[in-house]
Structure formats: C-alpha cells, structure tokens
Amino acid sequence: MDTILKTKSVTYDLSKRTHIMGILNVTPDSFSDGGSYTTIEEAVKQAIEMEKQGADILDIGGESTRPNHQPVSIEEEINRIVPVIEAIKGAVNIPISIDTYKAETARRAIQAGATIINDVWGAKKDPEIAKVAAEYDVPIILMHNRTNKNYQSLIDDLKDDLLESVDIALRAGVKKTNIILDPGVGFAKTATDNLVVMNHLEDIVAMGFSVLLGASRKSFIGHILDVPPIERDNGTGATTCIAVQKGVQIVRVHDVRRNVELAKMMDAMLAGGIAKDG
C-alpha cells in the first residue's frame, strides 16, 4: 500500500505517524461550529491557530452535511469558500482540503489554492468531481455514503460501495496513490452501525488505500454519552485512539490540540518506543 500523500505544497509519509485534519466550516449551520468562522478574519485566525496546534491539513467546507441541512447553490458555496481559501493559503503552510461533492466548487477551490478534495458522496453525486481531481492531479477523499440504510452485510456492503467510488475515480484518470477512503461514520448508518464500523476499521485499511476517519462530535458519540456536539471531544478522542490502533492514517477533527496529543501518544505506544523518564 502506498502511504505517501503528495500535495502541491507538502508531501506526507502517512506511515510515519497519524496525521490530523482540522475542520474549518465557513457555514452558518454546521452542527457543531456553524456560524463561528463565517468572516474571512475569523476563518484565517482559526486556521493559524489550528496549524499552531499541530494540524497537518485544513478541511474547509461551505455547505453543512448535518442531517436535514439546508442545501446551498453552487454559486453560494463558491462565494463562501473561495475568498476564505485564498486568504488562508497566504497565512498557513499546511495543505487545504475542500469539503464538497460538487465538481465546479472543487475546481474553483483548487484554483484558489486548495490541494485536496474531500467528497462526502464518494464521487457518486457528481462524478465530474473525479475528473477535476484527475485534471489537477490532487488527492481525493472518497467517503462512504448512500441514500438508504438497507445493508445485507454492513461491512461487506460498505466496502463494495467504496469500491464503486474507487472505480469512478480510476476511470476518470485519478491515480490510485491519490485515492483516500473514508468509511463515512455518521452517514447512512444507525448509531449501532457506526459502532460496528469503528470496530472494523482494519477491514477498510486492508483494502489497500490510505484511510481517513471523520467521527468528530458525531451523533453516535452523543447517543452514548448523552452530551451535545460541543461536549463530544472526549468521545471523539476515543474514536481517534481506536482508529490509530486499527491503522487509520488520518483523523478529521474539530479539536486539533487534543487529538494531536492523543494520536502522538497512541503512535508512541504502538511503536513501542522508549520515552524520556519523567
């Protein structure tokens, strides 16, 4: 399995340690941080802070993906994200990912400075997005999603669904080394389904692609802990720890500092390295 994540600005060897993607939503209605970073100044300040805290990638989204979210037009989404990407690109040194399933939004984001595409529909909602990834030679994250929860065998069906996304990407000309898989925790899955997926992350890792987990502050954590989204960072930390143990290379989180420390500690313990006394 190739574990090199190569962007236009930075190349990461994902086999060396767990990498952290920080979430930066420039939306008024995202379930956790909606409305917090809707001005360019607020977004740039948060981006700089996330880089200081150890984020390896910044994931910028202009449309909420929470359940029952209000869809926005391509024009509105582009107007939200392009000025922010342009401003952040000049303020940080880490790669920017665009969280969108729309090909034109992805194209405009890349032209503005994004170097990774993160598609919550795995190139199935708008297959042209895979052609954009191929044209600009950028990594694309293909997340598992579907319009129903009718699984015959959850993990087998999930893998089959992901392979359909992989096929779309490869046929569009995306290099295999530019494909990252995301099991889609929190999407088209019950709370129990999400726990099953978390317990079988190694099966996704075994598919031969780099894997990203995006479980931060998701509802299944709230279902277990009975806390609102803003209070789910400890629960998120638990998902990060099991993800590291099962071989996931990238975790997408809201609370960067906490998860950087947790991942670093997990990496050290799993490697069996010797820490300094004290």
Side-chain angles (χ1 to χ4, degrees), residues 146 148-158 160-161:
R146 51 158 62 190
N148 63 73
K149 301 175 184 177
N150 303 325
Y151 300 100
Q152 298 301 311
S153 173
L154 176 61
I155 302 303
D156 290 336
D157 291 355
L158 187 156
D160 287 344
D161 290 349

Side-chain angles (χ1 to χ4, degrees), residues 12-234:
Y12 291 127
D13 184 346
L14 302 180
S15 68
K16 298 293 187 185
R17 61 178 176 85
T18 306
H19 289 66
I20 306 297
M21 173 185 278
I23 300 168
L24 183 54
N25 289 314
V26 291
T27 56
D29 59 342
S30 288
F31 78 98
S32 174
D33 55 356
S36 297
Y37 312 113
T38 51
T39 71
I40 292 176
E41 293 76 17
E42 289 168 339
V44 169
K45 182 179 178 182
Q46 178 66 0
I48 292 171
E49 182 60 24
M50 284 183 166
E51 182 179 39
K52 285 180 181 177
Q53 291 177 358
D56 298 292
I57 304 166
L58 289 176
D59 192 42
I60 297 175
E63 178 178 1
S64 174
T65 55
R66 65 179 175 79
N68 304 314
H69 73 280
Q70 189 66 36
V72 299
S73 67
I74 292 176
E75 292 76 14
E76 172 72 14
E77 188 179 25
I78 289 171
N79 289 338
R80 285 179 182 178
I81 57 99
V82 166
V84 171
I85 291 173
E86 290 175 341
I88 288 175
K89 185 177 184 294
V92 302
N93 296 309
I94 55 178
I96 296 170
S97 166
I98 174 61
D99 181 357
T100 187
Y101 57 86
K102 299 169 187 154
E104 186 57 27
T105 302
R107 180 183 301 277
R108 293 289 296 275
I110 292 168
Q111 292 170 349
T115 56
I116 300 171
I117 297 171
N118 182 14
D119 182 359
V120 299
W121 278 100
K124 292 181 180 179
K125 182 80 85 171
D126 184 357
E128 290 294 314
I129 201 168
K131 294 181 181 178
V132 174
E135 177 185 345
Y136 288 91
D137 191 23
V138 298
I140 183 168
I141 299 160
L142 302 171
M143 195 193 82
H144 177 263
N145 206 344
R146 51 158 62 190
T147 57
N148 63 73
K149 301 175 184 177
N150 303 325
Y151 300 100
Q152 298 301 311
S153 173
L154 176 61
I155 302 303
D156 290 336
D157 291 355
L158 187 156
K159 290 165 62 178
D160 287 344
D161 290 349
L162 283 174
L163 287 174
E164 291 175 1
S165 291
V166 168
D167 188 57
I168 293 169
L170 293 176
R171 286 176 181 271
V174 177
K175 298 173 184 173
K176 183 179 179 182
T177 53
N178 271 346
I179 294 175
I180 300 166
L181 300 183
D182 177 346
V185 168
F187 290 80
K189 297 169 187 69
T190 66
T192 299
D193 288 341
N194 289 318
L195 293 174
V196 172
V197 172
M198 290 299 306
N199 203 32
H200 287 82
L201 290 173
E202 69 273 19
D203 293 338
I204 311 304
V205 172
M207 292 176 68
F209 298 87
S210 296
V211 176
L212 175 146
L213 177 73
S216 187
R217 299 180 181 174
K218 292 285 176 72
S219 59
F220 81 104
I221 298 173
H223 180 78
I224 295 168
L225 301 181
D226 193 24
V227 292
I230 198 67
E231 295 177 20
R232 295 175 189 167
D233 287 327
N234 283 337

Side-chain angles (χ1 to χ4, degrees), residues 1 201-202 205 211 242-250 270:
M1 179 176 65
L201 290 173
E202 69 273 19
V205 172
V211 176
I242 197 170
V244 175
Q245 186 178 28
K246 289 178 175 286
V248 171
Q249 294 99 338
I250 309 169
L270 290 169

